[in-house]
Amino acid sequence: MSQPLHRRTVLKCIVAVAASTASACHDDDDGPPTEDRQRFPQSVASGDPRPDRVVLWTRAVDPANADADVELTLQVARSADFRTLVLELKGLRALADDDHTLRVQVTNLAPRTVYFYRFVVDGPKHERFSSPVGRTRTAPSDDADVPARFVVANCQDFLGRYYNAWQRLLQLDEDLDCVVFLGDYIYETVLADAGADPRSISFGDPGSALSLPTAAGGPRLAAQSVSNYRDIYRAIRSDPILQQVHERYPFIVVWDDHEFSDDCWDAHANYTDGRAVEFEPERRRNAEQAFFEYQPLDVTAAPAGPVEVDSIPRYPDARIWRDLSFGRHLRLLVTDYRSYRPDHLIPEDAWPGTVVMDAAVLLSLGLTAAFAADTFAYVDIDAAQNAPQKVILRAAYVQLAVGAGLSLADAIARAEATVRGNVALAYANAVLTQAGAPPLDPTGKPRGIAFVHLGKTDLFSRLGARYVVIKDTFDIYAAWRFGVTSGASEDALGQVQEQWLLAAAREPGTWKVVVSSVSPTAMIWDLSNKADVPAQVRNRYAFDVDQWDGFPDRKRQLLEGLRTAANEHLVFVAGDIHASFASVELGVAAVTAPSISSSSIQEEAAGAVTAAGFPPGSAVYRYVVTEQQATLREGNPGIAFVDTDAHGFTVVEVGPEAVRAAYHLIPSSEVRTDYSARPEDLAARFTRRDFRITPGVISAV
């Protein structure tokens, strides 16, 4: 029996036929429509340009009826006066069910051609109103021998901050094929008390949000419902500077973590650092729905006409990885680092004393001699002679857990499940000494590696888990886990995506540019030879293992495989870390763009180091904050350029012989100053650094 057609399906069939028309003349006897931003409060945008198609987007509302669908006409032309239309699609609807957003796939376009577009709505008294006019450009044909130019941008925190970097891009009026946005387009938390700050966001339904009462900077609410996420997109896309960028350039967007939840993996959040289970598939789907509503993506190879949000698969079936070609010399491979990756290798709720590699494992790896020191000694805390120490250790665990917010019953249950088996004396003896009990003698005890040897010193903390881990022992632990799990412990992209990526790297195109939301640049603090820091911190540290440093074995395999597949012509462009890097990692050039407005890593490192007990003035603070850039270059000789305290964007040009990268930078201290009415002052605060990239080599220009 035949099924009734959904109204969206009928509409799509109608406009798909209209979209096949190559051109149309437009004779408007009533004059042009009047631009009305009140009806189009988030303006327009375009995305995922290909040689013959592009996705156009708007959000349209009826001022007289906020809950009504809005009927629209899309007009596309080669000139801004719209006298001769390439395309006119009538009967489109911005549906209330989609938060009044509309995405239209426009096809049958000419390669590398500038098009102008607008959405038109009829008013109640026969008036005609239009959106702002957008400008977009299709990609060059696959055989075009032309360079490709694009901007790399990421991380645009809105709260209390201004988009000075975007304003500078508009000032420069760069001739670009597109803007590649690497993720953290939104930040999912807002202040619980937004106040009157014009750069604040409030939820229309705060009761449906997550409460984060102990968040840094004051209590916050985290988006949980679809309406929460929509509120954030609406607010950010109301920014006039960001609107102008979208009106001028097509975007290619990928998500990172904050489109869902900070430092997420799969559908897991990390707000409680292990104090509670945070597997939130429905919240993830809500986040993805708003993302697909507000981004002009082509992730399903949609036919001509409106792209229905309901037609785009969401978690666990979402797939946003895709490739786009720009002439003969650039193939852009857009990856998704968040949707398939496993958990961080060190759990946030890991007990520092737990031994993860015992003497037998070290022996099997030939590492017994390397870990023979007393600091690696451990005991079986369940042995009868260690019963008094076990009582003390469990009591200490309970005290820490209750202090972290767990109930007494939960703390006791966790202590019983955790403080057992092999326990490292490096941690146990510190607890025993603090409790006034004699330490256990390491003489004759077996040796092994515990979480404390990886840098984990506290329960329920991201330090020693997602950030600031001891690199050398972490890499050993990671390699062992990688082996015993057949690589599953570091399967960051998932097997299907990784196979696609390697295959795509073999396809035509002089250069393969991999779009990664997180950076492959190794960020190492080497304090191992610093005599003026305390002995217990004289180690090499990986600052951020939420990025590719957290999966060192998969990173090595992937970079080597991609470099070979791309015939050495491979570049990564990345973001997330809120810093600028140009580095060569295992023979692969990596361009990490600064954030548009989010806190620089110099600011973030200052908070982490101070929280760890090393205030300004200490030697540790000096190396990892004040002299951070020098420390990072010392720890990774492959770094050709680093700036850890600036905002901005990077312009990348890909030609037949080389790739060029221009970093446009403004000090992070300027982010709370509004330069929208002071363009000359803004220009004077920017600096530029230029680099030339050939296979495996980065040179300053």
Side-chain angles (χ1 to χ4, degrees), residues 25-43:
C25 292
H26 177 60
D27 185 13
D28 189 353
D29 295 333
D30 297 327
T34 302
E35 181 180 307
D36 186 352
R37 287 182 180 265
Q38 183 182 6
R39 295 173 182 271
F40 297 91
Q42 280 70 38
S43 190

mmCIF file with all atom_site columns, all heavy atoms in Angstrom, residues 25-43:
data_model
loop_
_atom_site.group_PDB
_atom_site.id
_atom_site.type_symbol
_atom_site.label_atom_id
_atom_site.label_alt_id
_atom_site.label_comp_id
_atom_site.label_asym_id
_atom_site.label_entity_id
_atom_site.label_seq_id
_atom_site.pdbx_PDB_ins_code
_atom_site.Cartn_x
_atom_site.Cartn_y
_atom_site.Cartn_z
_atom_site.occupancy
_atom_site.B_iso_or_equiv
_atom_site.pdbx_formal_charge
_atom_site.auth_seq_id
_atom_site.auth_comp_id
_atom_site.auth_asym_id
_atom_site.auth_atom_id
_atom_site.pdbx_PDB_model_num
ATOM 1   N N   . CYS A 1 25 ? 15.168 34.990 -16.456 1.00 0.00 ? 25 CYS A N   1
ATOM 2   C CA  . CYS A 1 25 ? 15.137 36.451 -16.448 1.00 0.00 ? 25 CYS A CA  1
ATOM 3   C C   . CYS A 1 25 ? 14.197 36.916 -15.353 1.00 0.00 ? 25 CYS A C   1
ATOM 4   O O   . CYS A 1 25 ? 13.200 36.262 -15.051 1.00 0.00 ? 25 CYS A O   1
ATOM 5   C CB  . CYS A 1 25 ? 14.675 36.988 -17.800 1.00 0.00 ? 25 CYS A CB  1
ATOM 6   S SG  . CYS A 1 25 ? 15.868 36.691 -19.119 1.00 0.00 ? 25 CYS A SG  1
ATOM 7   N N   . HIS A 1 26 ? 14.530 38.037 -14.771 1.00 0.00 ? 26 HIS A N   1
ATOM 8   C CA  . HIS A 1 26 ? 13.710 38.551 -13.684 1.00 0.00 ? 26 HIS A CA  1
ATOM 9   C C   . HIS A 1 26 ? 13.272 39.963 -14.030 1.00 0.00 ? 26 HIS A C   1
ATOM 10  O O   . HIS A 1 26 ? 14.087 40.856 -14.208 1.00 0.00 ? 26 HIS A O   1
ATOM 11  C CB  . HIS A 1 26 ? 14.513 38.553 -12.380 1.00 0.00 ? 26 HIS A CB  1
ATOM 12  C CG  . HIS A 1 26 ? 13.743 39.130 -11.230 1.00 0.00 ? 26 HIS A CG  1
ATOM 13  N ND1 . HIS A 1 26 ? 12.564 38.601 -10.777 1.00 0.00 ? 26 HIS A ND1 1
ATOM 14  C CD2 . HIS A 1 26 ? 14.002 40.204 -10.442 1.00 0.00 ? 26 HIS A CD2 1
ATOM 15  C CE1 . HIS A 1 26 ? 12.119 39.303 -9.753  1.00 0.00 ? 26 HIS A CE1 1
ATOM 16  N NE2 . HIS A 1 26 ? 12.969 40.289 -9.537  1.00 0.00 ? 26 HIS A NE2 1
ATOM 17  N N   . ASP A 1 27 ? 12.001 40.164 -14.095 1.00 0.00 ? 27 ASP A N   1
ATOM 18  C CA  . ASP A 1 27 ? 11.447 41.485 -14.418 1.00 0.00 ? 27 ASP A CA  1
ATOM 19  C C   . ASP A 1 27 ? 10.525 41.893 -13.285 1.00 0.00 ? 27 ASP A C   1
ATOM 20  O O   . ASP A 1 27 ? 9.381  41.466 -13.201 1.00 0.00 ? 27 ASP A O   1
ATOM 21  C CB  . ASP A 1 27 ? 10.697 41.426 -15.749 1.00 0.00 ? 27 ASP A CB  1
ATOM 22  C CG  . ASP A 1 27 ? 10.212 42.813 -16.170 1.00 0.00 ? 27 ASP A CG  1
ATOM 23  O OD1 . ASP A 1 27 ? 10.679 43.791 -15.567 1.00 0.00 ? 27 ASP A OD1 1
ATOM 24  O OD2 . ASP A 1 27 ? 9.383  42.879 -17.098 1.00 0.00 ? 27 ASP A OD2 1
ATOM 25  N N   . ASP A 1 28 ? 11.042 42.709 -12.376 1.00 0.00 ? 28 ASP A N   1
ATOM 26  C CA  . ASP A 1 28 ? 10.298 43.065 -11.172 1.00 0.00 ? 28 ASP A CA  1
ATOM 27  C C   . ASP A 1 28 ? 9.702  44.459 -11.338 1.00 0.00 ? 28 ASP A C   1
ATOM 28  O O   . ASP A 1 28 ? 10.377 45.476 -11.160 1.00 0.00 ? 28 ASP A O   1
ATOM 29  C CB  . ASP A 1 28 ? 11.244 43.011 -9.968  1.00 0.00 ? 28 ASP A CB  1
ATOM 30  C CG  . ASP A 1 28 ? 10.495 43.153 -8.656  1.00 0.00 ? 28 ASP A CG  1
ATOM 31  O OD1 . ASP A 1 28 ? 9.277  43.423 -8.707  1.00 0.00 ? 28 ASP A OD1 1
ATOM 32  O OD2 . ASP A 1 28 ? 11.119 43.002 -7.602  1.00 0.00 ? 28 ASP A OD2 1
ATOM 33  N N   . ASP A 1 29 ? 8.431  44.521 -11.686 1.00 0.00 ? 29 ASP A N   1
ATOM 34  C CA  . ASP A 1 29 ? 7.782  45.814 -11.909 1.00 0.00 ? 29 ASP A CA  1
ATOM 35  C C   . ASP A 1 29 ? 7.593  46.595 -10.619 1.00 0.00 ? 29 ASP A C   1
ATOM 36  O O   . ASP A 1 29 ? 7.415  47.814 -10.646 1.00 0.00 ? 29 ASP A O   1
ATOM 37  C CB  . ASP A 1 29 ? 6.424  45.606 -12.582 1.00 0.00 ? 29 ASP A CB  1
ATOM 38  C CG  . ASP A 1 29 ? 6.562  45.027 -13.988 1.00 0.00 ? 29 ASP A CG  1
ATOM 39  O OD1 . ASP A 1 29 ? 7.622  45.261 -14.603 1.00 0.00 ? 29 ASP A OD1 1
ATOM 40  O OD2 . ASP A 1 29 ? 5.618  44.343 -14.430 1.00 0.00 ? 29 ASP A OD2 1
ATOM 41  N N   . ASP A 1 30 ? 7.598  45.906 -9.492  1.00 0.00 ? 30 ASP A N   1
ATOM 42  C CA  . ASP A 1 30 ? 7.360  46.572 -8.215  1.00 0.00 ? 30 ASP A CA  1
ATOM 43  C C   . ASP A 1 30 ? 8.640  47.082 -7.573  1.00 0.00 ? 30 ASP A C   1
ATOM 44  O O   . ASP A 1 30 ? 8.607  47.613 -6.466  1.00 0.00 ? 30 ASP A O   1
ATOM 45  C CB  . ASP A 1 30 ? 6.675  45.598 -7.257  1.00 0.00 ? 30 ASP A CB  1
ATOM 46  C CG  . ASP A 1 30 ? 5.307  45.169 -7.771  1.00 0.00 ? 30 ASP A CG  1
ATOM 47  O OD1 . ASP A 1 30 ? 4.656  46.010 -8.417  1.00 0.00 ? 30 ASP A OD1 1
ATOM 48  O OD2 . ASP A 1 30 ? 4.923  44.017 -7.530  1.00 0.00 ? 30 ASP A OD2 1
ATOM 49  N N   . GLY A 1 31 ? 9.766  46.945 -8.242  1.00 0.00 ? 31 GLY A N   1
ATOM 50  C CA  . GLY A 1 31 ? 11.026 47.363 -7.667  1.00 0.00 ? 31 GLY A CA  1
ATOM 51  C C   . GLY A 1 31 ? 11.612 46.288 -6.777  1.00 0.00 ? 31 GLY A C   1
ATOM 52  O O   . GLY A 1 31 ? 10.959 45.298 -6.456  1.00 0.00 ? 31 GLY A O   1
ATOM 53  N N   . PRO A 1 32 ? 12.844 46.488 -6.362  1.00 0.00 ? 32 PRO A N   1
ATOM 54  C CA  . PRO A 1 32 ? 13.509 45.467 -5.551  1.00 0.00 ? 32 PRO A CA  1
ATOM 55  C C   . PRO A 1 32 ? 12.882 45.371 -4.165  1.00 0.00 ? 32 PRO A C   1
ATOM 56  O O   . PRO A 1 32 ? 12.320 46.355 -3.656  1.00 0.00 ? 32 PRO A O   1
ATOM 57  C CB  . PRO A 1 32 ? 14.946 45.969 -5.475  1.00 0.00 ? 32 PRO A CB  1
ATOM 58  C CG  . PRO A 1 32 ? 14.846 47.452 -5.663  1.00 0.00 ? 32 PRO A CG  1
ATOM 59  C CD  . PRO A 1 32 ? 13.706 47.654 -6.618  1.00 0.00 ? 32 PRO A CD  1
ATOM 60  N N   . PRO A 1 33 ? 12.988 44.204 -3.530  1.00 0.00 ? 33 PRO A N   1
ATOM 61  C CA  . PRO A 1 33 ? 12.457 44.075 -2.166  1.00 0.00 ? 33 PRO A CA  1
ATOM 62  C C   . PRO A 1 33 ? 13.285 44.888 -1.177  1.00 0.00 ? 33 PRO A C   1
ATOM 63  O O   . PRO A 1 33 ? 14.440 45.233 -1.446  1.00 0.00 ? 33 PRO A O   1
ATOM 64  C CB  . PRO A 1 33 ? 12.568 42.568 -1.900  1.00 0.00 ? 33 PRO A CB  1
ATOM 65  C CG  . PRO A 1 33 ? 13.672 42.108 -2.794  1.00 0.00 ? 33 PRO A CG  1
ATOM 66  C CD  . PRO A 1 33 ? 13.581 42.948 -4.030  1.00 0.00 ? 33 PRO A CD  1
ATOM 67  N N   . THR A 1 34 ? 12.690 45.195 -0.067  1.00 0.00 ? 34 THR A N   1
ATOM 68  C CA  . THR A 1 34 ? 13.358 45.962 0.981   1.00 0.00 ? 34 THR A CA  1
ATOM 69  C C   . THR A 1 34 ? 14.079 45.024 1.940   1.00 0.00 ? 34 THR A C   1
ATOM 70  O O   . THR A 1 34 ? 13.484 44.077 2.461   1.00 0.00 ? 34 THR A O   1
ATOM 71  C CB  . THR A 1 34 ? 12.327 46.791 1.779   1.00 0.00 ? 34 THR A CB  1
ATOM 72  O OG1 . THR A 1 34 ? 11.637 47.647 0.872   1.00 0.00 ? 34 THR A OG1 1
ATOM 73  C CG2 . THR A 1 34 ? 13.009 47.608 2.856   1.00 0.00 ? 34 THR A CG2 1
ATOM 74  N N   . GLU A 1 35 ? 15.373 45.276 2.155   1.00 0.00 ? 35 GLU A N   1
ATOM 75  C CA  . GLU A 1 35 ? 16.123 44.442 3.108   1.00 0.00 ? 35 GLU A CA  1
ATOM 76  C C   . GLU A 1 35 ? 15.556 44.634 4.505   1.00 0.00 ? 35 GLU A C   1
ATOM 77  O O   . GLU A 1 35 ? 15.341 45.770 4.953   1.00 0.00 ? 35 GLU A O   1
ATOM 78  C CB  . GLU A 1 35 ? 17.606 44.799 3.088   1.00 0.00 ? 35 GLU A CB  1
ATOM 79  C CG  . GLU A 1 35 ? 18.439 43.939 4.041   1.00 0.00 ? 35 GLU A CG  1
ATOM 80  C CD  . GLU A 1 35 ? 19.909 44.291 4.021   1.00 0.00 ? 35 GLU A CD  1
ATOM 81  O OE1 . GLU A 1 35 ? 20.498 44.322 2.911   1.00 0.00 ? 35 GLU A OE1 1
ATOM 82  O OE2 . GLU A 1 35 ? 20.471 44.543 5.106   1.00 0.00 ? 35 GLU A OE2 1
ATOM 83  N N   . ASP A 1 36 ? 15.321 43.523 5.195   1.00 0.00 ? 36 ASP A N   1
ATOM 84  C CA  . ASP A 1 36 ? 14.709 43.582 6.527   1.00 0.00 ? 36 ASP A CA  1
ATOM 85  C C   . ASP A 1 36 ? 15.390 42.555 7.430   1.00 0.00 ? 36 ASP A C   1
ATOM 86  O O   . ASP A 1 36 ? 15.040 41.373 7.436   1.00 0.00 ? 36 ASP A O   1
ATOM 87  C CB  . ASP A 1 36 ? 13.211 43.293 6.440   1.00 0.00 ? 36 ASP A CB  1
ATOM 88  C CG  . ASP A 1 36 ? 12.497 43.484 7.774   1.00 0.00 ? 36 ASP A CG  1
ATOM 89  O OD1 . ASP A 1 36 ? 13.199 43.698 8.789   1.00 0.00 ? 36 ASP A OD1 1
ATOM 90  O OD2 . ASP A 1 36 ? 11.261 43.399 7.811   1.00 0.00 ? 36 ASP A OD2 1
ATOM 91  N N   . ARG A 1 37 ? 16.361 43.009 8.193   1.00 0.00 ? 37 ARG A N   1
ATOM 92  C CA  . ARG A 1 37 ? 17.090 42.100 9.078   1.00 0.00 ? 37 ARG A CA  1
ATOM 93  C C   . ARG A 1 37 ? 16.232 41.635 10.252  1.00 0.00 ? 37 ARG A C   1
ATOM 94  O O   . ARG A 1 37 ? 16.559 40.633 10.888  1.00 0.00 ? 37 ARG A O   1
ATOM 95  C CB  . ARG A 1 37 ? 18.380 42.759 9.577   1.00 0.00 ? 37 ARG A CB  1
ATOM 96  C CG  . ARG A 1 37 ? 19.448 42.866 8.506   1.00 0.00 ? 37 ARG A CG  1
ATOM 97  C CD  . ARG A 1 37 ? 20.743 43.474 9.030   1.00 0.00 ? 37 ARG A CD  1
ATOM 98  N NE  . ARG A 1 37 ? 21.744 43.557 7.975   1.00 0.00 ? 37 ARG A NE  1
ATOM 99  C CZ  . ARG A 1 37 ? 22.687 42.635 7.745   1.00 0.00 ? 37 ARG A CZ  1
ATOM 100 N NH1 . ARG A 1 37 ? 22.732 41.552 8.516   1.00 0.00 ? 37 ARG A NH1 1
ATOM 101 N NH2 . ARG A 1 37 ? 23.568 42.792 6.775   1.00 0.00 ? 37 ARG A NH2 1
ATOM 102 N N   . GLN A 1 38 ? 15.164 42.360 10.537  1.00 0.00 ? 38 GLN A N   1
ATOM 103 C CA  . GLN A 1 38 ? 14.276 41.896 11.598  1.00 0.00 ? 38 GLN A CA  1
ATOM 104 C C   . GLN A 1 38 ? 13.640 40.567 11.209  1.00 0.00 ? 38 GLN A C   1
ATOM 105 O O   . GLN A 1 38 ? 13.418 39.702 12.057  1.00 0.00 ? 38 GLN A O   1
ATOM 106 C CB  . GLN A 1 38 ? 13.189 42.945 11.870  1.00 0.00 ? 38 GLN A CB  1
ATOM 107 C CG  . GLN A 1 38 ? 12.253 42.568 13.012  1.00 0.00 ? 38 GLN A CG  1
ATOM 108 C CD  . GLN A 1 38 ? 11.144 43.581 13.247  1.00 0.00 ? 38 GLN A CD  1
ATOM 109 O OE1 . GLN A 1 38 ? 10.999 44.535 12.478  1.00 0.00 ? 38 GLN A OE1 1
ATOM 110 N NE2 . GLN A 1 38 ? 10.360 43.375 14.283  1.00 0.00 ? 38 GLN A NE2 1
ATOM 111 N N   . ARG A 1 39 ? 13.344 40.399 9.937   1.00 0.00 ? 39 ARG A N   1
ATOM 112 C CA  . ARG A 1 39 ? 12.774 39.140 9.469   1.00 0.00 ? 39 ARG A CA  1
ATOM 113 C C   . ARG A 1 39 ? 13.847 38.070 9.242   1.00 0.00 ? 39 ARG A C   1
ATOM 114 O O   . ARG A 1 39 ? 13.527 36.881 9.177   1.00 0.00 ? 39 ARG A O   1
ATOM 115 C CB  . ARG A 1 39 ? 11.999 39.373 8.167   1.00 0.00 ? 39 ARG A CB  1
ATOM 116 C CG  . ARG A 1 39 ? 10.775 40.262 8.349   1.00 0.00 ? 39 ARG A CG  1
ATOM 117 C CD  . ARG A 1 39 ? 10.132 40.598 7.026   1.00 0.00 ? 39 ARG A CD  1
ATOM 118 N NE  . ARG A 1 39 ? 8.994  41.498 7.205   1.00 0.00 ? 39 ARG A NE  1
ATOM 119 C CZ  . ARG A 1 39 ? 7.747  41.087 7.426   1.00 0.00 ? 39 ARG A CZ  1
ATOM 120 N NH1 . ARG A 1 39 ? 7.478  39.798 7.478   1.00 0.00 ? 39 ARG A NH1 1
ATOM 121 N NH2 . ARG A 1 39 ? 6.772  41.958 7.590   1.00 0.00 ? 39 ARG A NH2 1
ATOM 122 N N   . PHE A 1 40 ? 15.096 38.501 9.110   1.00 0.00 ? 40 PHE A N   1
ATOM 123 C CA  . PHE A 1 40 ? 16.215 37.581 8.899   1.00 0.00 ? 40 PHE A CA  1
ATOM 124 C C   . PHE A 1 40 ? 17.292 37.890 9.944   1.00 0.00 ? 40 PHE A C   1
ATOM 125 O O   . PHE A 1 40 ? 18.369 38.399 9.621   1.00 0.00 ? 40 PHE A O   1
ATOM 126 C CB  . PHE A 1 40 ? 16.772 37.734 7.483   1.00 0.00 ? 40 PHE A CB  1
ATOM 127 C CG  . PHE A 1 40 ? 15.782 37.381 6.410   1.00 0.00 ? 40 PHE A CG  1
ATOM 128 C CD1 . PHE A 1 40 ? 14.947 38.349 5.867   1.00 0.00 ? 40 PHE A CD1 1
ATOM 129 C CD2 . PHE A 1 40 ? 15.676 36.080 5.940   1.00 0.00 ? 40 PHE A CD2 1
ATOM 130 C CE1 . PHE A 1 40 ? 14.030 38.034 4.875   1.00 0.00 ? 40 PHE A CE1 1
ATOM 131 C CE2 . PHE A 1 40 ? 14.767 35.749 4.949   1.00 0.00 ? 40 PHE A CE2 1
ATOM 132 C CZ  . PHE A 1 40 ? 13.933 36.723 4.424   1.00 0.00 ? 40 PHE A CZ  1
ATOM 133 N N   . PRO A 1 41 ? 16.994 37.627 11.220  1.00 0.00 ? 41 PRO A N   1
ATOM 134 C CA  . PRO A 1 41 ? 17.865 38.104 12.306  1.00 0.00 ? 41 PRO A CA  1
ATOM 135 C C   . PRO A 1 41 ? 19.249 37.477 12.335  1.00 0.00 ? 41 PRO A C   1
ATOM 136 O O   . PRO A 1 41 ? 20.158 38.034 12.956  1.00 0.00 ? 41 PRO A O   1
ATOM 137 C CB  . PRO A 1 41 ? 17.070 37.753 13.571  1.00 0.00 ? 41 PRO A CB  1
ATOM 138 C CG  . PRO A 1 41 ? 16.157 36.640 13.150  1.00 0.00 ? 41 PRO A CG  1
ATOM 139 C CD  . PRO A 1 41 ? 15.801 36.926 11.722  1.00 0.00 ? 41 PRO A CD  1
ATOM 140 N N   . GLN A 1 42 ? 19.437 36.322 11.682  1.00 0.00 ? 42 GLN A N   1
ATOM 141 C CA  . GLN A 1 42 ? 20.766 35.714 11.617  1.00 0.00 ? 42 GLN A CA  1
ATOM 142 C C   . GLN A 1 42 ? 21.349 35.821 10.209  1.00 0.00 ? 42 GLN A C   1
ATOM 143 O O   . GLN A 1 42 ? 22.329 35.122 9.893   1.00 0.00 ? 42 GLN A O   1
ATOM 144 C CB  . GLN A 1 42 ? 20.711 34.245 12.065  1.00 0.00 ? 42 GLN A CB  1
ATOM 145 C CG  . GLN A 1 42 ? 20.700 34.082 13.585  1.00 0.00 ? 42 GLN A CG  1
ATOM 146 C CD  . GLN A 1 42 ? 19.397 34.533 14.223  1.00 0.00 ? 42 GLN A CD  1
ATOM 147 O OE1 . GLN A 1 42 ? 18.317 34.305 13.661  1.00 0.00 ? 42 GLN A OE1 1
ATOM 148 N NE2 . GLN A 1 42 ? 19.471 35.162 15.378  1.00 0.00 ? 42 GLN A NE2 1
ATOM 149 N N   . SER A 1 43 ? 20.771 36.631 9.363   1.00 0.00 ? 43 SER A N   1
ATOM 150 C CA  . SER A 1 43 ? 21.257 36.924 8.025   1.00 0.00 ? 43 SER A CA  1
ATOM 151 C C   . SER A 1 43 ? 21.284 35.669 7.156   1.00 0.00 ? 43 SER A C   1
ATOM 152 O O   . SER A 1 43 ? 20.349 34.867 7.197   1.00 0.00 ? 43 SER A O   1
ATOM 153 C CB  . SER A 1 43 ? 22.640 37.595 8.096   1.00 0.00 ? 43 SER A CB  1
ATOM 154 O OG  . SER A 1 43 ? 23.016 38.095 6.826   1.00 0.00 ? 43 SER A OG  1
#
